[in-house]
Amino acid sequence: MFQKTTKPPKKTLGDLLSSKEVITGKEVIHKIKEQEKRQKEFEESVEDELRNRRVK
């Protein structure tokens, strides 16, 4: 009638940090900086393309 439910074992801190489910503040800041760097590179490349465009 009543079945005892078994809980899965708790994850250790090492397990949580190695999994991609948990994101730390340091990782968020790093991702934001990478995204800003890529955006800056993209804008520079667009400017270069516009500058180097030749009218046919």
Side-chain angles (χ1 to χ4, degrees):
M1 186 169 169
F2 293 108
Q3 289 183 346
K4 186 174 183 180
T5 58
T6 56
K7 295 181 183 178
K10 291 187 177 182
K11 294 185 178 181
T12 63
L13 181 60
D15 293 339
L16 290 173
L17 290 175
S18 66
S19 73
K20 296 298 179 186
E21 297 172 7
V22 178
I23 300 174
T24 62
K26 185 184 274 188
E27 291 173 345
V28 171
I29 292 170
H30 184 70
K31 286 181 181 181
I32 290 171
K33 287 183 180 180
E34 283 182 355
Q35 188 175 14
E36 289 174 350
K37 183 179 176 184
R38 280 181 279 170
Q39 182 67 28
K40 186 177 179 182
E41 289 174 354
F42 174 76
E43 291 172 358
E44 288 176 358
S45 65
V46 168
E47 289 175 3
D48 287 343
E49 289 294 323
L50 290 174
R51 201 176 315 128
N52 295 331
R53 182 180 286 175
R54 294 181 179 150
V55 178
K56 291 184 178 180

